[in-house]
Amino acid sequence: MSTGLPVAAIESIEARQPPLLPGVRATGLAGIVSAAIIAAATFAAIFGPLLAPYDPNLPNLSLAWVGPTGGHLLGFDVQGRDVLSRLLVGAQTSMLGPLVVVIVSMITGSLLAVVAAWRRGAADAAISSGLDILFAFPGILLAVLATAVFGAGLTAAAIALSIAYMPYVARVLRSAAFRERSQPYVAALEVQGASATSICFRHLIPNMTPLIVAQATILFGYAMVDLAAISFLGLGVQPPRADWGVMISENQTGIPQGYPLPALAAGVCIVAVVIAFNVLGERLFEQAQAART
Amino acid sequence: MLLASLLVASFVIFAATYLAPGNPIAALSGGRSLPPSSLRILEQRYHLNAPFFAQYWYWLSNALHGNLGISITLRENVSTLIASRIWTTAGLVLYASVLILVFGIGLGLAAGLRPGVLDTSTVVVTAISAAIPAFVAAIVLILLFAVRLGWFPAIGNGTGLVDNIRHLTLPALALAISSLAIVARITRASVREEGEREHVQTAASRGIPGRQLIRRHVLRNAAIPITTIAGITIASLIAVAAVVETAFGLNGLGAYLVQAAQSKDLAVVQGISLLLVAAFVIVNLLVDMLYAVLDPRVSLGSRAT
Amino acid sequence: MSEPTALSRTVGPAAAGPGAPLLQVERLTVRLPVRGEMRPVLRDVALSLRPGEALGLVGESGSGKSMTARAIDRLLPRGAEVDGEIRFDGRDVRALSGAGLRQYRTQVAMIFQDPRAHVNPVRRIGDFMTEALRTNLGVPAAEASRRATDMLEQVGVGGGARRLRQHPHELSGGMLQRVMIAAALLTEPRLLLADEPTTALDVTTQAEVMAILDDLRRGFGLGMIFITHDLELAAAICDRTAVMYAGQIVELRSSALLHDDPLHPYTAALAAARPDISRTAARLPAIPGRPLSAFEAPADECAYAPRCAHARDICRAAVPGLAEIDGGLSRCVRAQELRGKLGAAGDG
C-alpha cells in the first residue's frame, strides 16, 4: 500500500480488538449496512451507464455549479454535467480498478506464499528476501513511476499497485501457509502419494480460503483509496472520464467558490465504500481467526 | 536488508529509462525532439553508448554525489530543483508526524487506560477516520476551516516561518488524519492487551502501586507495537504527501513529482523517486532499530511478524 | 533429593503453635460476571492455616482452587463479588487498601503457574526481583541487588550479578520458576500461595523445583497454600490437604491419613484414578462424567452426587455441610458410614 502499512502487523493486533461499534455487534447492524453499501456500489458499477438519468459526459457550461434542482438530485459539476449520473457511471472505474489490483496481487501473493511454505528452506529464504526488498516501494510512488514511463492511465496505475501490494499479501499468507503446511493431514496426503500441486490446490489453499477472502476484502478498501488518489493526481483515470477520484480533482475548485457538493459527493462515495469493505473485512478476518482455533 | 532494498529500488528507478517505449533518448527527452547539440550532451551525460550496468553505475554514483541530471522541461539541475522544494515536504511530513504522535498516541492512551464514554466514542471515531483518504480529508478540511470558518489558508506556502506553519496546518492535518486514527486504535488495543497480561498480575500481587504498574509494565510493554505502527505510518506519509501537496497547491517534492510524471521529465522523476525511496527506507531502518532497543527478545535485523 | 512418596506418610500435621492462626478464611463465596450474569465460582469456602504450616489445595479444573488463592491475595478480576471473611494475622484482608494493602502484599507472596507468561519479558531479571523491595520496602538498589543474588544462590541459580542483568527469555522454564520463587521470598513473606508452580515444567525439572520450594519453605518457616491437581504431590509436601470440588471444599484432612482413610468419595476416586506403576490393571479407573464448575453445581443437593458410586437419596436432599470427623472435615453426609469402605483398601 502507498500507506505502507503492513497488513500483517495491523491485523494481528486489530484482530484482538473489541467489535467496531460496541453494542451494535449483536444485531450486526454495521455488517448489514456495509453489505448494503457494497451491494449498491457493485450494482452501480455494473449498471451505472444504464441507470444514469442524464449523459454524464455532456458539458454545459451555462449550468456549471447549479445546485440540486428538478431531476438533478445532486446538481451540476464544474462543467455543467449531472453529478448523480457521473457518480453512477464513475462507479465502474472506481470499483473495477481495485478489483483488478486485488485479484492480481492476491493471486501472485498467494502463489508465492504457498511456494515459499511448501518448498521451505532456500526457496523460502529467496522469496522472503525478494519480498522484503519490494517493501521499499510505497504503492503510490511505484504508480507515479509507472505513469511517467508508460503514460498516465488506469492500467499502468493498477499494475503498479498490484506489484506494490503483492509483498504484503504474500507475507500475511505465508505464515498461514506455513501453518497449514505443518498440519498432519498434509503429511498424511504426502504419504498416500498425492502430488505437491494437488495437495496445494485441493487442500492447502482451500483451507486458507477464509483468510484469503478476508485479506482480499480489506485490500480492496486500500486499493480503492490508492487508485482514487492516483486519479485525483491526474495520473490514473483521465478526465473527462467519470471516476470518483477524478471528480474530486475536477470539482475541487468549487469549494472555495461555495459549491462543495460535487466534490463532497464523490468523496462520500469513496469513504462509504471503503468503510464498508473495512467493516466486512474485519468481520471476515475475525471469523477466519475463530475458525482456526 | 533494507540497504539491499535501496539498491534494487534504485535499479528499478534507473531501469525506467529503458522500460519506456522507444529508446532511452526518447525517454529522457520526454518524446520531444531536441537539437543535435542537446542530444550529444544527453549521450555524454548518460553514457548511452556504454553497457547497461556501466550506465547504471554512472547514474548511481552521480546520484550519490548529488548530481541527479538535468530537468528537460526547466533546463536546470534536478538537484537544485529538489533543494528548493525539499523543505516544504520535509516540514509537512514532520508536522503531520508530530500530530500523529501527540494526538494519535495520546488519544489511544486515554481511551485504553480509561474504559468509559471516551473509550467507546474513540473506537467509533477512529474506525471512521481511518478510512478517510488524505485527499478527501483535504477537501473537507478546506471546506470547513478555510472556506466556512476562515481559520486557515487553503492554498499555497505562505512566506516567513509563522505563515508557513499556518499554511501547512490544514495539509498536515489532512495527511495525518487517517494515520492518526490507526495509531490511536493500535495504541488503545495494545494498552488494553498488555493490561490483561499475566506478568502485570504478578507485579500487582507484589504490591506495586497502580501508577507505577501502568508505567513500568503496561506502557513499557505496549510501547513495542505502538512504536512499530507509529514508525510505519510515518514512513508512509512520505508517499502520500504528494497527494496532499497537490490538493493544497503546495510547492513540495511530491507535487513536483506528479507534474514531472505528467510532463514525462524522466530525470526529475528518477531523482525525486530515489530520494523518496531512500527516505522511506531510512525511516523503516530507524523503526527497526528502535524496535530492537525496546524489545530485548529481538536482535537487530528481524522484525517480529 | 528427597523422594516425595517415601517422605509423605511420616510427616504429620505441623506442631500446634501458640496463638492465633496465620490465615483464616470463612464462608468465602465469590461470584464473577460471566457474559452479563453473576456466576458463583466459590461457595462457602473455609480453611485456616497456622504459622509455618503447609496446606495443600487439590482439585480438578474449575474446582475453584486458583480462585481461592486469588481471593486471598485480592487478585480477583474486575467486577467480582466477594462474601465472607478473610483474616490474616487477625486483620480483615478485605478491608485493606492503599498502604495497608501494599504492606499485606509484602507479607503474602504468590507464585504462579507459567513463569514465562508471569514475568515481564521486557525487563531484566534484577528489575523483576528487586522491584517490590525498592518500591514497597524502600530498600536501596545496591542492597536489593545483593539480597537478590543471595536468594538466587539459595534457589540454585548461579551467576550472581550477571544473572540479574539477563532477560527472561535467556533462561529456561525451570530456572525462571526458581527466579520467581526467589523473588517471592525476597520480601520475607509469612505466607506463600503457590498456584501449580510446577505444572508447566517438564517432569525432571518439576522434582527439582518442588524440592527447592519445600526446603526453603521449611527453612524460613513460612506458611504455604500449595495448589495442585496432583493429590500425591500435595500430600508429599503439605501437612494437611484440602480437596475442592465445584467451588467447595469437600474434605480437609491431614495428608498422611488422606490416602488410606479418605472421608469423601471424591478424594478416594482421585486417589484411585492415579495410575499406579506397581500394579497392572485391565482398565485405568476413571471417574465417570466431568468435573463441575461452581456455577453448574445444583443448589440443593450434593454437587458430586451424579458421579458418585455411593450416592443415595439422602445425598440429593440438600447441599451437605462440612462436618468434623476424627480430626478432619468432610462434606459427605455418608462419611461416617463409608469409613473403611473408601480408600486404598476399599472399593474406591
Side-chain angles (χ1 to χ4, degrees), chain A:
Chain A
M1 275 144 275
S2 71
T3 48
L5 299 164
V7 180
I10 301 184
E11 312 310 2
S12 69
I13 302 176
E14 283 211 336
R16 293 185 280 247
Q17 270 190 312
L20 196 68
L21 294 168
V24 172
R25 180 178 197 73
T27 63
L29 180 66
I32 295 177
V33 171
S34 303
I37 292 178
I38 294 176
T42 316
F43 195 69
I46 301 176
F47 297 109
L50 298 174
L51 292 171
Y54 299 93
D55 185 346
N57 292 315
L58 190 64
N60 187 345
L61 291 172
S62 58
L63 290 173
W65 300 127
V66 174
T69 50
H72 301 265
L73 289 172
L74 293 172
F76 298 84
D77 75 350
V78 59
Q79 289 189 14
R81 297 167 293 200
D82 179 40
V83 171
L84 182 59
S85 305
R86 273 183 83 72
L87 282 180
L88 286 173
V89 170
Q92 244 176 10
T93 49
S94 301
M95 298 281 288
L96 192 66
L99 186 66
V100 167
V101 170
V102 166
I103 289 179
V104 172
S105 58
M106 291 298 299
I107 290 181
T108 45
S110 328
L111 284 177
L112 282 176
V114 167
V115 167
W118 186 262
R119 294 302 207 71
R120 293 183 284 208
D124 177 35
I127 291 181
S128 297
S129 317
L131 292 176
D132 276 345
I133 289 177
L134 275 179
F135 270 115
F137 259 109
I140 281 190
L141 209 53
L142 198 58
V144 170
L145 197 60
T147 51
V149 169
F150 296 110
L154 190 56
T155 333
I159 293 178
L161 228 48
S162 312
I163 297 178
Y165 283 8
M166 186 192 45
Y168 296 109
V169 174
R171 183 181 268 191
V172 172
L173 294 182
R174 179 178 162 278
S175 25
F178 261 99
R179 263 197 306 271
E180 281 300 313
R181 171 79 172 90
S182 52
Q183 295 273 22
Y185 75 83
V186 173
L189 285 169
E190 281 184 287
V191 162
Q192 288 174 22
S195 73
T197 29
S198 86
I199 297 181
C200 285
F201 282 99
R202 299 201 1 218
H203 300 274
L204 211 69
I205 292 182
N207 276 336
M208 284 168 49
T209 307
L211 185 63
I212 291 180
V213 172
Q215 184 71 38
T217 312
I218 297 186
L219 206 64
F220 192 96
Y222 285 121
M224 188 163 204
V225 167
D226 281 348
L227 276 179
I230 294 171
S231 298
F232 170 80
L233 290 175
L235 297 174
V237 177
Q238 296 293 295
R241 217 164 140 197
D243 172 83
W244 295 346
V246 168
M247 286 175 71
I248 296 186
S249 165
E250 288 178 324
N251 294 302
Q252 200 187 354
T253 47
I255 296 181
Q257 295 176 38
Y259 309 110
L261 188 58
L264 273 185
V268 165
C269 285
I270 296 177
V271 172
V273 174
V274 169
I275 293 183
F277 272 98
N278 278 356
V279 168
L280 192 64
E282 262 181 49
R283 292 282 166 88
L284 290 173
F285 196 75
E286 277 166 25
Q287 279 181 4
Q289 299 271 56
R292 207 165 23 93
T293 46

Side-chain angles (χ1 to χ4, degrees), chain C residues 145-224:
Chain C
S145 299
R146 195 190 55 77
R147 293 195 206 176
T149 30
D150 283 348
M151 191 62 80
L152 282 179
E153 289 284 342
Q154 298 216 24
V155 296
V157 174
R162 185 184 57 87
R163 193 63 80 178
L164 293 187
R165 280 196 301 275
Q166 283 186 319
H167 289 282
H169 63 89
E170 301 176 70
L171 275 67
S172 69
M175 298 198 77
L176 207 53
Q177 190 61 294
R178 294 186 208 207
V179 166
M180 174 121 69
I181 294 173
L185 294 172
L186 270 181
T187 56
E188 291 173 24
R190 295 172 58 209
L191 174 63
L192 269 185
L193 301 170
D195 188 354
E196 303 206 53
T198 54
T199 311
L201 306 172
D202 65 80
V203 177
T204 0
T205 324
Q206 270 189 24
E208 290 171 5
V209 173
M210 276 319 312
I212 289 171
L213 186 59
D214 193 32
D215 264 357
L216 286 176
R217 182 197 72 78
R218 288 178 203 279
F220 286 111
L222 308 177
M224 175 166 77

Side-chain angles (χ1 to χ4, degrees), chain B residues 115 196-199 201-209 212 215-217 220-221 224 294-298, chain C residues 70 73 75 78 102 105 108 112 117-123 127-129 131-132 135-136 167 169 183:
Chain B
E196 315 260 306
R197 290 223 193 274
E198 289 98 328
H199 65 79
Q201 282 226 321
T202 312
S205 82
R206 291 154 79 209
I208 309 293
Q212 185 172 325
R215 192 172 36 92
R216 296 186 98 237
H217 296 276
R220 170 65 179 81
N221 289 49
I224 297 171
L294 285 176
D295 190 347
R297 292 169 288 185
V298 154
Chain C
R70 279 170 202 275
D73 208 16
L75 280 184
R78 223 190 298 229
R102 286 203 297 280
R105 294 208 192 282
V108 175
F112 296 90
H118 282 277
V119 179
N120 192 336
V122 159
R123 295 207 169 263
D127 187 281
F128 172 70
M129 293 189 69
E131 190 176 15
T135 310
N136 288 339
H167 289 282
H169 63 89

Side-chain angles (χ1 to χ4, degrees), chain B residues 192-240:
Chain B
R192 278 292 163 88
E193 206 178 304
E194 281 304 318
E196 315 260 306
R197 290 223 193 274
E198 289 98 328
H199 65 79
V200 175
Q201 282 226 321
T202 312
S205 82
R206 291 154 79 209
I208 309 293
R211 216 169 277 161
Q212 185 172 325
L213 196 69
I214 292 182
R215 192 172 36 92
R216 296 186 98 237
H217 296 276
V218 176
L219 293 185
R220 170 65 179 81
N221 289 49
I224 297 171
I226 293 174
T227 316
T228 310
I229 196 68
I232 289 168
T233 49
I234 288 176
S236 77
L237 294 181
I238 295 173
V240 186

